[in-house]
Amino acid sequence: MILSGFLDTLGAFVFVTGAAFLALGGLGLVRMPDVYNRIQAGTKATTLGTLLVLVGTALIEPSWAIKLLLIMLFLMFTNPLSSQVLARAAHRAGVRPKGDADYLSRDMEDLT
Amino acid sequence: MSDTHLADKGQTAPPPLDGLSGGVSLRLFATLFLFWVLLNASLSFATILSGLVVAGVISAAFGRHLSFLSGFNLAPAGIFAAFQFIGYFLKELVKANLSLAALVMKPSLPISPAIVKVRTTLTDPVARLLLANAITLTPGTLTCEIKGEFLYIHWVVTKSTDLDEATQEIVAGFERYLEVMYG
């Protein structure tokens, strides 16, 4: 009983930490100046935040751990990938990034 | 991240294999079956049997086209490198989130974004996918485009726009392990 109580507490703590990262990611989405920076803020925070929420769930409900592990694996493969495709689509649609250096535009004629 | 030239190279590289006799199909079969058992979290006769049948049919029919595992180096060195890669990746993921959190909470929002170009020596399609994903999840970098040996990275706090310096800063840490995993 002591062990399960400890795991519950630890799980809740990890869960809240994940939620905090998700909230910071949301703040990043609002504050960042252009689409690329916003994607950056969104991707990192949602990945780690969701992973921590899933780890917290696994600690509270250990019998779900294997399935949660699989979800984490799929998440780590697909979450960054979707962001990369969004960023690429934005660039191909002609959205200029903020900042002075844009090597992707300079090489654009070779890429199409 | 489409790259027809290298994708073609990756698919023709392993020798043509037929059905379950080939190593490629066997790896696909083992992966599919493992995922099936993990998803079911059960070892009952019906689960095992349907898993064996379906995994067998899929790997016999699509073994040559779903060869995404064929590049992985199953020697102890490759598996060891995979664990090192995961450890390094998780460390970088936490660092990325802490630095992003610090960045968005500063009222001045001190960013200096740019899209830089870096070079990779990896040729295996899955190794390149893992590299692009790892870069996206590490501090301030986002892969935008991949073409041949070059990756185009959006960098929130740019340290250098020089090809070699940026490669050293962004790519080198992961490439070290991926070269062994997909060597």
Side-chain angles (χ1 to χ4, degrees):
Chain A
M1 287 315 285
I2 292 172
L3 181 69
S4 80
F6 173 71
L7 282 182
D8 277 358
T9 315
L10 187 68
F13 183 72
V14 173
F15 205 109
V16 170
T17 313
F21 275 120
L22 287 171
L24 284 169
L27 181 64
L29 276 184
V30 177
R31 292 208 62 201
M32 286 297 190
D34 72 345
V35 61
Y36 304 99
N37 289 305
R38 288 194 166 131
I39 292 174
Q40 295 243 24
T43 319
K44 291 173 221 321
T46 51
T47 308
L48 186 67
T50 317
L51 286 185
L52 288 175
V53 167
L54 292 173
V55 170
T57 314
L59 289 170
I60 294 168
E61 203 60 67
S63 59
W64 296 356
I66 293 176
K67 278 184 195 174
L68 292 171
L69 201 70
L70 280 180
I71 298 176
M72 286 181 218
L73 197 67
F74 287 130
L75 203 74
M76 278 195 280
F77 265 90
T78 55
N79 209 342
L81 193 65
S82 59
S83 303
Q84 282 150 217
V85 175
L86 275 174
R88 183 170 72 162
H91 204 282
R92 287 189 180 179
V95 181
R96 293 279 140 261
K98 279 197 155 222
D100 19 85
D102 180 3
Y103 282 80
L104 185 50
S105 298
R106 288 183 206 175
D107 293 358
M108 212 56 203
E109 58 275 20
D110 315 337
L111 293 169
T112 40
Chain B
M1 310 280 106
S2 71
D3 190 329
T4 0
H5 175 62
L6 277 148
D8 284 348
K9 234 171 72 188
Q11 274 174 6
T12 49
L17 298 160
D18 286 310
L20 285 171
S21 59
V24 174
S25 296
L26 204 62
R27 283 184 187 202
L28 179 63
F29 176 80
T31 317
L32 291 173
F33 187 65
L34 182 71
F35 271 95
W36 170 254
V37 172
L38 287 177
L39 273 174
N40 277 283
S42 131
L43 287 171
S44 76
F45 179 71
T47 309
I48 302 259
L49 186 70
S50 47
L52 284 174
V53 170
V54 175
V57 169
I58 293 175
S59 45
F62 302 110
R64 269 176 293 168
H65 306 290
L66 288 174
S67 58
F68 57 93
L69 287 164
S70 55
F72 188 77
N73 176 11
L74 276 176
I79 294 168
F80 184 62
F83 280 106
Q84 283 181 312
F85 175 75
I86 293 168
Y88 183 71
F89 168 75
L90 290 177
K91 194 187 86 188
E92 292 290 309
L93 179 60
V94 173
K95 257 167 66 184
N97 274 273
L98 292 177
S99 66
L100 183 85
L103 196 67
V104 298
M105 285 193 289
K106 276 188 192 136
S108 59
L109 201 65
I111 61 170
S112 53
I115 292 184
V116 300
K117 188 175 174 180
V118 297
R119 182 185 280 123
T120 176
T121 54
L122 300 169
T123 50
D124 184 277
V126 180
R128 290 154 68 85
L129 167 72
L130 284 175
L131 179 69
N133 275 5
I135 287 172
T136 297
L137 290 177
T138 50
T141 50
L142 167 73
T143 314
C144 288
E145 182 76 84
I146 183 167
K147 181 79 184 176
E149 58 173 346
F150 296 109
L151 280 87
Y152 296 84
I153 313 276
H154 182 264
W155 209 350
V156 170
V157 185
T158 310
K159 288 180 190 152
S160 167
T161 53
D162 178 71
L163 176 65
D164 292 317
E165 282 175 36
T167 303
Q168 189 59 33
E169 187 75 31
I170 298 174
V171 178
F174 293 110
E175 216 175 47
R176 197 165 67 217
Y177 302 117
L178 286 168
E179 268 167 3
V180 183
M181 284 162 68
Y182 290 90

